[in-house]
Amino acid sequence: MTRAPGGAAGARERSFASTFLRYWLPAVVYVALIFSVSSIHGADLPGGFPNLDKIAHLLEYSLLGLLLGRAIRYTLAGRGQAAAVVSTILLGAAIGVADELYQRHVQGRSSDIRDWMVDVAAVAAAVLLTQWVSTRSLRSRAARAAREGNR
């Protein structure tokens, strides 16, 4: 039995589409959400306590770091753990710069390098935390397997 021409290409296209939907679409949608929140006029933002905006940046960019890290880790597998971490942080930093530059053009909003620094720190912390948890989990699984193998 022979394979139909183009069968492998069709499988690759489906694989790309399912990979994009599963790993990249959540990150893309979340970036759109970040920019939609950045579109809120300054007068419409809730008040509160000092540095509330830094906490908001910390939370939103930590989640972005998790989503980007997941997408990069699972779609660029085989390039190395360090490459995935650096790529995630660089992409998160670029999105943060774009967000800050975009806010310059929104009425009542401003661009602040300290916000961007919090964005980058949040992405980096989220990615490094997931790498630490993942590495720790792999080590404990390996140790458990070694103990079970010795029985």
Side-chain angles (χ1 to χ4, degrees), residues 48-63:
F49 52 90
N51 296 318
L52 179 63
D53 69 318
K54 302 297 183 266
I55 294 171
H57 278 267
L58 181 68
L59 294 174
E60 78 182 331
Y61 277 84
S62 292
L63 181 54

Side-chain angles (χ1 to χ4, degrees), residues 25-138:
L25 186 61
V28 169
V29 168
Y30 191 69
V31 169
L33 178 65
I34 288 172
F35 278 84
S36 68
V37 170
S38 292
S39 298
I40 298 172
H41 292 227
D44 297 335
L45 291 172
F49 52 90
N51 296 318
L52 179 63
D53 69 318
K54 302 297 183 266
I55 294 171
H57 278 267
L58 181 68
L59 294 174
E60 78 182 331
Y61 277 84
S62 292
L63 181 54
L64 178 64
L66 294 174
L67 292 171
L68 290 176
R70 176 180 176 262
I72 288 173
R73 203 168 40 252
Y74 287 104
T75 58
L76 300 178
R79 304 256 162 109
Q81 194 174 35
V85 168
V86 170
S87 299
T88 303
I89 294 170
L90 289 176
L91 183 55
I95 292 168
V97 164
D99 183 29
E100 289 302 315
L101 292 175
Y102 174 72
Q103 285 181 39
R104 268 188 181 172
H105 305 290
V106 176
Q107 186 179 10
R109 302 292 292 265
S110 63
S111 180
D112 185 358
I113 193 159
R114 291 172 298 190
D115 287 346
W116 177 74
M117 291 168 62
V118 170
D119 298 344
V120 174
V123 169
V127 171
L128 293 173
L129 178 67
T130 58
Q131 291 300 321
W132 178 73
V133 168
S134 175
T135 302
R136 188 172 168 210
S137 175
L138 290 173

